[in-house]
Amino acid sequence: MRSHMNSSTAKILDGKALAARMREEIRLEADQLASKHGRKPGLAVIIVGNDPASHVYVKNKKIGCEKAGIHSFSHELSADTSQQHLLGLITELNNDPKVDGILVQLPVPDHINSEVILEAIDPGKDVDGFHPYNVGRLASRKPALRSCTPYGCMKLLEETGIDLHGKECVIVGASNIVGRPMALELLLVGATVTVTHRFSKNLRSHIERAEIIIAAAGKQGLIQGEWIKPGAIVVDVGIHRREDGSLTGDVEFEEASKNAGWITPVPGGVGPMTITMLLANTVQAFKTHVGD
Ligand SMILES: Nc1nc2c(c(=O)[nH]1)N[C@@H](CN(C=O)c1ccc(C(=O)N[C@@H](CCC(=O)O)C(=O)O)cc1)CN2
Ligand SMILES: [Mg+2]
């Protein structure tokens, strides 16, 4: 993989391996809960439309459920499904005692208002952690269901064994599903947090002083390797497909590896952790509903 003489020093933060270990633990717990309570934890997965990448993610979520001893209820809706119909389905699932978790795969088609949809999900079943109730819980230091990608990034950071108190963290990107909840997660553990976004000036100067970088801008190769402070931890949330079909992130991986202390690969870093935390959240929601 990396064959240069001036070879990289960074250790790989292996999300695939951590995800496999965690999924094994989740399966053991789900099996115990199923024997005790007479049913498996249940996750309803809703997808609207034909976006090919979204269908791959949903398929992987359903496979993840099956392997972890979680029952998945699949709802594949056509691209012209009305918002009203989708809201009706969510109400049914909110009231279904066999369903512990509900997720609506994003993005939804343009004629559907995703905010209205996400707010219709019972916060106790919101295993994506996107409902304002769950975001508010995290913001007020009483996390309930936490959003999966930032939660997965925190598990990856824990793997380094580094104390996060007072660390200079720079999050690149301020989206609702990654950047913003990531800032709240890092604040919760006592880190110093900067969030940069499309209006921020001089990204390089922020990156250069960061001890921890969370790259979630959605721009291929935005973060240059030479900007990375020696020894920094780099967590790359970006996923982009190159013309040759291979995947890459928001960070120049090869160059960044020469400076970073730890770095996540793409693929095999944050992605597998996102689905793992969804499974963990479903088990957590089951325990809240049924008991442990
Ligand atoms: N309702 C939600 N919608 C979306 C979420 C989400 O958490 N909830 N996140 C993303 C998509 N996503 C999960 O839904 C997701 C993206 C990527 C991966 C992943 O495992 N990536 C692999 C590479 C996969 C590939 O070959 O394409 C990796 O990085 O190793 C998992 C989940 C937007 N929508
Ligand atoms: Mg360069």
PDB file of all heavy atoms in Angstrom, residues 11-46:
ATOM      1  N   LYS A  11      -0.263   5.484  12.820  1.00  0.00           N
ATOM      2  CA  LYS A  11      -0.918   4.213  13.088  1.00  0.00           C
ATOM      3  C   LYS A  11      -2.329   4.289  12.503  1.00  0.00           C
ATOM      4  O   LYS A  11      -2.947   5.350  12.482  1.00  0.00           O
ATOM      5  CB  LYS A  11      -1.000   3.970  14.600  1.00  0.00           C
ATOM      6  CG  LYS A  11       0.372   3.715  15.228  1.00  0.00           C
ATOM      7  CD  LYS A  11       0.234   3.146  16.625  1.00  0.00           C
ATOM      8  CE  LYS A  11       0.164   4.192  17.696  1.00  0.00           C
ATOM      9  NZ  LYS A  11       1.387   4.794  18.163  1.00  0.00           N
ATOM     10  N   ILE A  12      -2.783   3.144  12.040  1.00  0.00           N
ATOM     11  CA  ILE A  12      -4.106   3.095  11.418  1.00  0.00           C
ATOM     12  C   ILE A  12      -5.177   2.892  12.487  1.00  0.00           C
ATOM     13  O   ILE A  12      -5.086   1.962  13.293  1.00  0.00           O
ATOM     14  CB  ILE A  12      -4.177   1.952  10.379  1.00  0.00           C
ATOM     15  CG1 ILE A  12      -3.184   2.201   9.233  1.00  0.00           C
ATOM     16  CG2 ILE A  12      -5.594   1.762   9.848  1.00  0.00           C
ATOM     17  CD1 ILE A  12      -3.484   3.425   8.389  1.00  0.00           C
ATOM     18  N   LEU A  13      -6.175   3.769  12.478  1.00  0.00           N
ATOM     19  CA  LEU A  13      -7.345   3.594  13.346  1.00  0.00           C
ATOM     20  C   LEU A  13      -8.341   2.740  12.562  1.00  0.00           C
ATOM     21  O   LEU A  13      -9.047   3.249  11.686  1.00  0.00           O
ATOM     22  CB  LEU A  13      -7.962   4.963  13.647  1.00  0.00           C
ATOM     23  CG  LEU A  13      -7.707   5.571  15.003  1.00  0.00           C
ATOM     24  CD1 LEU A  13      -8.382   6.942  15.097  1.00  0.00           C
ATOM     25  CD2 LEU A  13      -8.191   4.651  16.115  1.00  0.00           C
ATOM     26  N   ASP A  14      -8.357   1.476  12.889  1.00  0.00           N
ATOM     27  CA  ASP A  14      -9.036   0.479  12.054  1.00  0.00           C
ATOM     28  C   ASP A  14     -10.511   0.319  12.462  1.00  0.00           C
ATOM     29  O   ASP A  14     -10.829  -0.427  13.388  1.00  0.00           O
ATOM     30  CB  ASP A  14      -8.269  -0.846  12.195  1.00  0.00           C
ATOM     31  CG  ASP A  14      -8.791  -1.923  11.264  1.00  0.00           C
ATOM     32  OD1 ASP A  14      -9.919  -1.794  10.755  1.00  0.00           O
ATOM     33  OD2 ASP A  14      -8.053  -2.901  11.048  1.00  0.00           O
ATOM     34  N   GLY A  15     -11.375   1.033  11.762  1.00  0.00           N
ATOM     35  CA  GLY A  15     -12.809   0.988  12.080  1.00  0.00           C
ATOM     36  C   GLY A  15     -13.433  -0.355  11.781  1.00  0.00           C
ATOM     37  O   GLY A  15     -14.364  -0.790  12.471  1.00  0.00           O
ATOM     38  N   LYS A  16     -12.917  -1.018  10.769  1.00  0.00           N
ATOM     39  CA  LYS A  16     -13.484  -2.317  10.396  1.00  0.00           C
ATOM     40  C   LYS A  16     -13.267  -3.329  11.524  1.00  0.00           C
ATOM     41  O   LYS A  16     -14.181  -4.062  11.913  1.00  0.00           O
ATOM     42  CB  LYS A  16     -12.804  -2.802   9.109  1.00  0.00           C
ATOM     43  CG  LYS A  16     -13.657  -3.722   8.299  1.00  0.00           C
ATOM     44  CD  LYS A  16     -13.013  -4.029   6.962  1.00  0.00           C
ATOM     45  CE  LYS A  16     -13.649  -5.292   6.404  1.00  0.00           C
ATOM     46  NZ  LYS A  16     -12.940  -5.810   5.239  1.00  0.00           N
ATOM     47  N   ALA A  17     -12.042  -3.318  12.075  1.00  0.00           N
ATOM     48  CA  ALA A  17     -11.725  -4.257  13.157  1.00  0.00           C
ATOM     49  C   ALA A  17     -12.501  -3.916  14.429  1.00  0.00           C
ATOM     50  O   ALA A  17     -13.061  -4.811  15.078  1.00  0.00           O
ATOM     51  CB  ALA A  17     -10.218  -4.239  13.435  1.00  0.00           C
ATOM     52  N   LEU A  18     -12.544  -2.626  14.769  1.00  0.00           N
ATOM     53  CA  LEU A  18     -13.285  -2.225  15.976  1.00  0.00           C
ATOM     54  C   LEU A  18     -14.769  -2.556  15.802  1.00  0.00           C
ATOM     55  O   LEU A  18     -15.412  -3.063  16.728  1.00  0.00           O
ATOM     56  CB  LEU A  18     -13.091  -0.724  16.240  1.00  0.00           C
ATOM     57  CG  LEU A  18     -13.876  -0.151  17.433  1.00  0.00           C
ATOM     58  CD1 LEU A  18     -13.528  -0.868  18.738  1.00  0.00           C
ATOM     59  CD2 LEU A  18     -13.625   1.357  17.569  1.00  0.00           C
ATOM     60  N   ALA A  19     -15.294  -2.302  14.619  1.00  0.00           N
ATOM     61  CA  ALA A  19     -16.713  -2.595  14.344  1.00  0.00           C
ATOM     62  C   ALA A  19     -16.983  -4.089  14.529  1.00  0.00           C
ATOM     63  O   ALA A  19     -17.988  -4.476  15.134  1.00  0.00           O
ATOM     64  CB  ALA A  19     -17.082  -2.143  12.932  1.00  0.00           C
ATOM     65  N   ALA A  20     -16.082  -4.933  14.058  1.00  0.00           N
ATOM     66  CA  ALA A  20     -16.280  -6.384  14.173  1.00  0.00           C
ATOM     67  C   ALA A  20     -16.307  -6.803  15.644  1.00  0.00           C
ATOM     68  O   ALA A  20     -17.172  -7.583  16.064  1.00  0.00           O
ATOM     69  CB  ALA A  20     -15.181  -7.125  13.417  1.00  0.00           C
ATOM     70  N   ARG A  21     -15.394  -6.255  16.433  1.00  0.00           N
ATOM     71  CA  ARG A  21     -15.362  -6.587  17.870  1.00  0.00           C
ATOM     72  C   ARG A  21     -16.632  -6.116  18.554  1.00  0.00           C
ATOM     73  O   ARG A  21     -17.254  -6.851  19.332  1.00  0.00           O
ATOM     74  CB  ARG A  21     -14.155  -5.908  18.539  1.00  0.00           C
ATOM     75  CG  ARG A  21     -12.901  -6.760  18.509  1.00  0.00           C
ATOM     76  CD  ARG A  21     -11.811  -6.111  19.355  1.00  0.00           C
ATOM     77  NE  ARG A  21     -11.074  -5.123  18.582  1.00  0.00           N
ATOM     78  CZ  ARG A  21     -10.753  -3.905  18.995  1.00  0.00           C
ATOM     79  NH1 ARG A  21     -11.112  -3.472  20.196  1.00  0.00           N
ATOM     80  NH2 ARG A  21     -10.065  -3.082  18.223  1.00  0.00           N
ATOM     81  N   MET A  22     -17.032  -4.893  18.261  1.00  0.00           N
ATOM     82  CA  MET A  22     -18.228  -4.356  18.925  1.00  0.00           C
ATOM     83  C   MET A  22     -19.484  -5.105  18.497  1.00  0.00           C
ATOM     84  O   MET A  22     -20.389  -5.330  19.296  1.00  0.00           O
ATOM     85  CB  MET A  22     -18.382  -2.865  18.607  1.00  0.00           C
ATOM     86  CG  MET A  22     -17.354  -2.022  19.347  1.00  0.00           C
ATOM     87  SD  MET A  22     -17.717  -0.268  19.185  1.00  0.00           S
ATOM     88  CE  MET A  22     -19.245  -0.174  20.108  1.00  0.00           C
ATOM     89  N   ARG A  23     -19.546  -5.508  17.219  1.00  0.00           N
ATOM     90  CA  ARG A  23     -20.754  -6.204  16.743  1.00  0.00           C
ATOM     91  C   ARG A  23     -20.907  -7.564  17.411  1.00  0.00           C
ATOM     92  O   ARG A  23     -22.020  -8.034  17.625  1.00  0.00           O
ATOM     93  CB  ARG A  23     -20.745  -6.314  15.219  1.00  0.00           C
ATOM     94  CG  ARG A  23     -21.010  -4.964  14.564  1.00  0.00           C
ATOM     95  CD  ARG A  23     -21.080  -5.082  13.064  1.00  0.00           C
ATOM     96  NE  ARG A  23     -20.925  -3.796  12.421  1.00  0.00           N
ATOM     97  CZ  ARG A  23     -21.381  -3.500  11.216  1.00  0.00           C
ATOM     98  NH1 ARG A  23     -22.041  -4.409  10.504  1.00  0.00           N
ATOM     99  NH2 ARG A  23     -21.182  -2.303  10.696  1.00  0.00           N
ATOM    100  N   GLU A  24     -19.774  -8.191  17.732  1.00  0.00           N
ATOM    101  CA  GLU A  24     -19.809  -9.460  18.440  1.00  0.00           C
ATOM    102  C   GLU A  24     -20.415  -9.253  19.838  1.00  0.00           C
ATOM    103  O   GLU A  24     -21.279 -10.014  20.272  1.00  0.00           O
ATOM    104  CB  GLU A  24     -18.377 -10.014  18.508  1.00  0.00           C
ATOM    105  CG  GLU A  24     -18.223 -11.384  19.116  1.00  0.00           C
ATOM    106  CD  GLU A  24     -19.072 -12.466  18.448  1.00  0.00           C
ATOM    107  OE1 GLU A  24     -19.425 -12.325  17.252  1.00  0.00           O
ATOM    108  OE2 GLU A  24     -19.413 -13.439  19.143  1.00  0.00           O
ATOM    109  N   GLU A  25     -19.980  -8.194  20.513  1.00  0.00           N
ATOM    110  CA  GLU A  25     -20.536  -7.882  21.849  1.00  0.00           C
ATOM    111  C   GLU A  25     -22.022  -7.548  21.752  1.00  0.00           C
ATOM    112  O   GLU A  25     -22.817  -7.956  22.609  1.00  0.00           O
ATOM    113  CB  GLU A  25     -19.804  -6.683  22.466  1.00  0.00           C
ATOM    114  CG  GLU A  25     -18.409  -7.019  22.961  1.00  0.00           C
ATOM    115  CD  GLU A  25     -17.589  -5.767  23.283  1.00  0.00           C
ATOM    116  OE1 GLU A  25     -18.175  -4.672  23.440  1.00  0.00           O
ATOM    117  OE2 GLU A  25     -16.353  -5.900  23.342  1.00  0.00           O
ATOM    118  N   ILE A  26     -22.395  -6.808  20.728  1.00  0.00           N
ATOM    119  CA  ILE A  26     -23.805  -6.433  20.548  1.00  0.00           C
ATOM    120  C   ILE A  26     -24.649  -7.689  20.329  1.00  0.00           C
ATOM    121  O   ILE A  26     -25.734  -7.848  20.897  1.00  0.00           O
ATOM    122  CB  ILE A  26     -23.959  -5.438  19.364  1.00  0.00           C
ATOM    123  CG1 ILE A  26     -23.289  -4.098  19.710  1.00  0.00           C
ATOM    124  CG2 ILE A  26     -25.436  -5.235  18.996  1.00  0.00           C
ATOM    125  CD1 ILE A  26     -23.068  -3.171  18.518  1.00  0.00           C
ATOM    126  N   ARG A  27     -24.117  -8.629  19.546  1.00  0.00           N
ATOM    127  CA  ARG A  27     -24.847  -9.876  19.275  1.00  0.00           C
ATOM    128  C   ARG A  27     -25.063 -10.674  20.566  1.00  0.00           C
ATOM    129  O   ARG A  27     -26.158 -11.177  20.826  1.00  0.00           O
ATOM    130  CB  ARG A  27     -24.092 -10.728  18.246  1.00  0.00           C
ATOM    131  CG  ARG A  27     -24.875 -11.948  17.768  1.00  0.00           C
ATOM    132  CD  ARG A  27     -24.064 -12.799  16.805  1.00  0.00           C
ATOM    133  NE  ARG A  27     -22.895 -13.387  17.429  1.00  0.00           N
ATOM    134  CZ  ARG A  27     -22.901 -14.479  18.193  1.00  0.00           C
ATOM    135  NH1 ARG A  27     -24.031 -15.104  18.436  1.00  0.00           N
ATOM    136  NH2 ARG A  27     -21.786 -14.924  18.732  1.00  0.00           N
ATOM    137  N   LEU A  28     -24.009 -10.770  21.381  1.00  0.00           N
ATOM    138  CA  LEU A  28     -24.144 -11.503  22.649  1.00  0.00           C
ATOM    139  C   LEU A  28     -25.239 -10.876  23.512  1.00  0.00           C
ATOM    140  O   LEU A  28     -26.084 -11.575  24.076  1.00  0.00           O
ATOM    141  CB  LEU A  28     -22.812 -11.500  23.421  1.00  0.00           C
ATOM    142  CG  LEU A  28     -21.700 -12.359  22.811  1.00  0.00           C
ATOM    143  CD1 LEU A  28     -20.378 -12.147  23.540  1.00  0.00           C
ATOM    144  CD2 LEU A  28     -22.091 -13.840  22.844  1.00  0.00           C
ATOM    145  N   GLU A  29     -25.235  -9.547  23.575  1.00  0.00           N
ATOM    146  CA  GLU A  29     -26.237  -8.870  24.405  1.00  0.00           C
ATOM    147  C   GLU A  29     -27.640  -9.030  23.817  1.00  0.00           C
ATOM    148  O   GLU A  29     -28.600  -9.307  24.546  1.00  0.00           O
ATOM    149  CB  GLU A  29     -25.885  -7.379  24.560  1.00  0.00           C
ATOM    150  CG  GLU A  29     -26.753  -6.731  25.615  1.00  0.00           C
ATOM    151  CD  GLU A  29     -26.373  -5.296  25.957  1.00  0.00           C
ATOM    152  OE1 GLU A  29     -25.611  -4.664  25.191  1.00  0.00           O
ATOM    153  OE2 GLU A  29     -26.885  -4.814  26.988  1.00  0.00           O
ATOM    154  N   ALA A  30     -27.747  -8.898  22.496  1.00  0.00           N
ATOM    155  CA  ALA A  30     -29.064  -9.033  21.847  1.00  0.00           C
ATOM    156  C   ALA A  30     -29.616 -10.443  22.060  1.00  0.00           C
ATOM    157  O   ALA A  30     -30.817 -10.617  22.314  1.00  0.00           O
ATOM    158  CB  ALA A  30     -28.952  -8.713  20.352  1.00  0.00           C
ATOM    159  N   ASP A  31     -28.742 -11.453  21.997  1.00  0.00           N
ATOM    160  CA  ASP A  31     -29.179 -12.843  22.211  1.00  0.00           C
ATOM    161  C   ASP A  31     -29.691 -13.043  23.640  1.00  0.00           C
ATOM    162  O   ASP A  31     -30.729 -13.674  23.854  1.00  0.00           O
ATOM    163  CB  ASP A  31     -28.030 -13.826  21.923  1.00  0.00           C
ATOM    164  CG  ASP A  31     -27.751 -13.964  20.433  1.00  0.00           C
ATOM    165  OD1 ASP A  31     -28.552 -13.416  19.621  1.00  0.00           O
ATOM    166  OD2 ASP A  31     -26.736 -14.596  20.063  1.00  0.00           O
ATOM    167  N   GLN A  32     -28.945 -12.490  24.598  1.00  0.00           N
ATOM    168  CA  GLN A  32     -29.371 -12.600  26.006  1.00  0.00           C
ATOM    169  C   GLN A  32     -30.719 -11.922  26.221  1.00  0.00           C
ATOM    170  O   GLN A  32     -31.605 -12.464  26.888  1.00  0.00           O
ATOM    171  CB  GLN A  32     -28.345 -11.924  26.927  1.00  0.00           C
ATOM    172  CG  GLN A  32     -27.152 -12.798  27.231  1.00  0.00           C
ATOM    173  CD  GLN A  32     -26.043 -12.018  27.963  1.00  0.00           C
ATOM    174  OE1 GLN A  32     -26.191 -10.837  28.258  1.00  0.00           O
ATOM    175  NE2 GLN A  32     -24.937 -12.690  28.230  1.00  0.00           N
ATOM    176  N   LEU A  33     -30.872 -10.741  25.631  1.00  0.00           N
ATOM    177  CA  LEU A  33     -32.136 -10.004  25.791  1.00  0.00           C
ATOM    178  C   LEU A  33     -33.292 -10.773  25.161  1.00  0.00           C
ATOM    179  O   LEU A  33     -34.389 -10.837  25.721  1.00  0.00           O
ATOM    180  CB  LEU A  33     -32.013  -8.609  25.161  1.00  0.00           C
ATOM    181  CG  LEU A  33     -31.106  -7.621  25.899  1.00  0.00           C
ATOM    182  CD1 LEU A  33     -30.824  -6.399  25.035  1.00  0.00           C
ATOM    183  CD2 LEU A  33     -31.733  -7.203  27.236  1.00  0.00           C
ATOM    184  N   ALA A  34     -33.015 -11.384  23.999  1.00  0.00           N
ATOM    185  CA  ALA A  34     -34.078 -12.137  23.305  1.00  0.00           C
ATOM    186  C   ALA A  34     -34.504 -13.337  24.144  1.00  0.00           C
ATOM    187  O   ALA A  34     -35.707 -13.622  24.260  1.00  0.00           O
ATOM    188  CB  ALA A  34     -33.593 -12.572  21.927  1.00  0.00           C
ATOM    189  N   SER A  35     -33.535 -14.056  24.775  1.00  0.00           N
ATOM    190  CA  SER A  35     -33.921 -15.205  25.609  1.00  0.00           C
ATOM    191  C   SER A  35     -34.731 -14.733  26.812  1.00  0.00           C
ATOM    192  O   SER A  35     -35.689 -15.375  27.212  1.00  0.00           O
ATOM    193  CB  SER A  35     -32.726 -15.988  26.152  1.00  0.00           C
ATOM    194  OG  SER A  35     -31.660 -15.949  25.295  1.00  0.00           O
ATOM    195  N   LYS A  36     -34.327 -13.617  27.373  1.00  0.00           N
ATOM    196  CA  LYS A  36     -34.986 -13.154  28.598  1.00  0.00           C
ATOM    197  C   LYS A  36     -36.386 -12.598  28.329  1.00  0.00           C
ATOM    198  O   LYS A  36     -37.305 -12.815  29.102  1.00  0.00           O
ATOM    199  CB  LYS A  36     -34.100 -12.090  29.250  1.00  0.00           C
ATOM    200  CG  LYS A  36     -34.588 -11.631  30.601  1.00  0.00           C
ATOM    201  CD  LYS A  36     -33.534 -10.843  31.347  1.00  0.00           C
ATOM    202  CE  LYS A  36     -34.162 -10.235  32.605  1.00  0.00           C
ATOM    203  NZ  LYS A  36     -33.300  -9.191  33.165  1.00  0.00           N
ATOM    204  N   HIS A  37     -36.532 -11.890  27.216  1.00  0.00           N
ATOM    205  CA  HIS A  37     -37.781 -11.151  26.999  1.00  0.00           C
ATOM    206  C   HIS A  37     -38.660 -11.747  25.899  1.00  0.00           C
ATOM    207  O   HIS A  37     -39.728 -11.220  25.600  1.00  0.00           O
ATOM    208  CB  HIS A  37     -37.479  -9.684  26.690  1.00  0.00           C
ATOM    209  CG  HIS A  37     -36.788  -8.982  27.820  1.00  0.00           C
ATOM    210  ND1 HIS A  37     -37.451  -8.582  28.961  1.00  0.00           N
ATOM    211  CD2 HIS A  37     -35.486  -8.649  28.007  1.00  0.00           C
ATOM    212  CE1 HIS A  37     -36.583  -8.007  29.787  1.00  0.00           C
ATOM    213  NE2 HIS A  37     -35.388  -8.036  29.230  1.00  0.00           N
ATOM    214  N   GLY A  38     -38.187 -12.810  25.271  1.00  0.00           N
ATOM    215  CA  GLY A  38     -39.033 -13.519  24.309  1.00  0.00           C
ATOM    216  C   GLY A  38     -39.161 -12.857  22.947  1.00  0.00           C
ATOM    217  O   GLY A  38     -39.971 -13.281  22.124  1.00  0.00           O
ATOM    218  N   ARG A  39     -38.384 -11.834  22.688  1.00  0.00           N
ATOM    219  CA  ARG A  39     -38.324 -11.285  21.330  1.00  0.00           C
ATOM    220  C   ARG A  39     -36.996 -10.568  21.129  1.00  0.00           C
ATOM    221  O   ARG A  39     -36.373 -10.099  22.090  1.00  0.00           O
ATOM    222  CB  ARG A  39     -39.492 -10.352  21.031  1.00  0.00           C
ATOM    223  CG  ARG A  39     -39.417  -8.997  21.698  1.00  0.00           C
ATOM    224  CD  ARG A  39     -40.420  -8.025  21.070  1.00  0.00           C
ATOM    225  NE  ARG A  39     -40.426  -6.730  21.749  1.00  0.00           N
ATOM    226  CZ  ARG A  39     -39.604  -5.711  21.455  1.00  0.00           C
ATOM    227  NH1 ARG A  39     -38.712  -5.817  20.475  1.00  0.00           N
ATOM    228  NH2 ARG A  39     -39.667  -4.585  22.124  1.00  0.00           N
ATOM    229  N   LYS A  40     -36.599 -10.511  19.840  1.00  0.00           N
ATOM    230  CA  LYS A  40     -35.359  -9.810  19.513  1.00  0.00           C
ATOM    231  C   LYS A  40     -35.598  -8.295  19.509  1.00  0.00           C
ATOM    232  O   LYS A  40     -36.727  -7.867  19.220  1.00  0.00           O
ATOM    233  CB  LYS A  40     -34.911 -10.196  18.095  1.00  0.00           C
ATOM    234  CG  LYS A  40     -34.479 -11.634  17.936  1.00  0.00           C
ATOM    235  CD  LYS A  40     -34.107 -11.870  16.471  1.00  0.00           C
ATOM    236  CE  LYS A  40     -33.604 -13.283  16.276  1.00  0.00           C
ATOM    237  NZ  LYS A  40     -33.179 -13.516  14.877  1.00  0.00           N
ATOM    238  N   PRO A  41     -34.537  -7.504  19.725  1.00  0.00           N
ATOM    239  CA  PRO A  41     -34.671  -6.073  19.420  1.00  0.00           C
ATOM    240  C   PRO A  41     -35.079  -5.906  17.952  1.00  0.00           C
ATOM    241  O   PRO A  41     -34.655  -6.695  17.101  1.00  0.00           O
ATOM    242  CB  PRO A  41     -33.266  -5.521  19.666  1.00  0.00           C
ATOM    243  CG  PRO A  41     -32.603  -6.504  20.584  1.00  0.00           C
ATOM    244  CD  PRO A  41     -33.190  -7.845  20.225  1.00  0.00           C
ATOM    245  N   GLY A  42     -35.895  -4.897  17.656  1.00  0.00           N
ATOM    246  CA  GLY A  42     -36.399  -4.705  16.287  1.00  0.00           C
ATOM    247  C   GLY A  42     -36.078  -3.324  15.744  1.00  0.00           C
ATOM    248  O   GLY A  42     -36.233  -2.319  16.445  1.00  0.00           O
ATOM    249  N   LEU A  43     -35.620  -3.290  14.508  1.00  0.00           N
ATOM    250  CA  LEU A  43     -35.289  -2.015  13.850  1.00  0.00           C
ATOM    251  C   LEU A  43     -36.085  -1.882  12.554  1.00  0.00           C
ATOM    252  O   LEU A  43     -36.005  -2.757  11.691  1.00  0.00           O
ATOM    253  CB  LEU A  43     -33.781  -1.967  13.519  1.00  0.00           C
ATOM    254  CG  LEU A  43     -33.322  -0.758  12.691  1.00  0.00           C
ATOM    255  CD1 LEU A  43     -33.489   0.546  13.469  1.00  0.00           C
ATOM    256  CD2 LEU A  43     -31.860  -0.921  12.262  1.00  0.00           C
ATOM    257  N   ALA A  44     -36.848  -0.809  12.425  1.00  0.00           N
ATOM    258  CA  ALA A  44     -37.549  -0.513  11.166  1.00  0.00           C
ATOM    259  C   ALA A  44     -36.670   0.389  10.311  1.00  0.00           C
ATOM    260  O   ALA A  44     -36.206   1.437  10.769  1.00  0.00           O
ATOM    261  CB  ALA A  44     -38.888   0.165  11.449  1.00  0.00           C
ATOM    262  N   VAL A  45     -36.423  -0.057   9.085  1.00  0.00           N
ATOM    263  CA  VAL A  45     -35.559   0.676   8.159  1.00  0.00           C
ATOM    264  C   VAL A  45     -36.421   1.170   6.994  1.00  0.00           C
ATOM    265  O   VAL A  45     -37.014   0.373   6.278  1.00  0.00           O
ATOM    266  CB  VAL A  45     -34.443  -0.248   7.613  1.00  0.00           C
ATOM    267  CG1 VAL A  45     -33.529   0.506   6.665  1.00  0.00           C
ATOM    268  CG2 VAL A  45     -33.638  -0.869   8.755  1.00  0.00           C
ATOM    269  N   ILE A  46     -36.489   2.489   6.835  1.00  0.00           N
ATOM    270  CA  ILE A  46     -37.313   3.071   5.768  1.00  0.00           C
ATOM    271  C   ILE A  46     -36.403   3.725   4.739  1.00  0.00           C
ATOM    272  O   ILE A  46     -35.521   4.520   5.094  1.00  0.00           O
ATOM    273  CB  ILE A  46     -38.281   4.141   6.328  1.00  0.00           C
ATOM    274  CG1 ILE A  46     -39.125   3.571   7.469  1.00  0.00           C
ATOM    275  CG2 ILE A  46     -39.162   4.697   5.216  1.00  0.00           C
ATOM    276  CD1 ILE A  46     -39.993   4.631   8.173  1.00  0.00           C
TER     277      ILE A  46
END
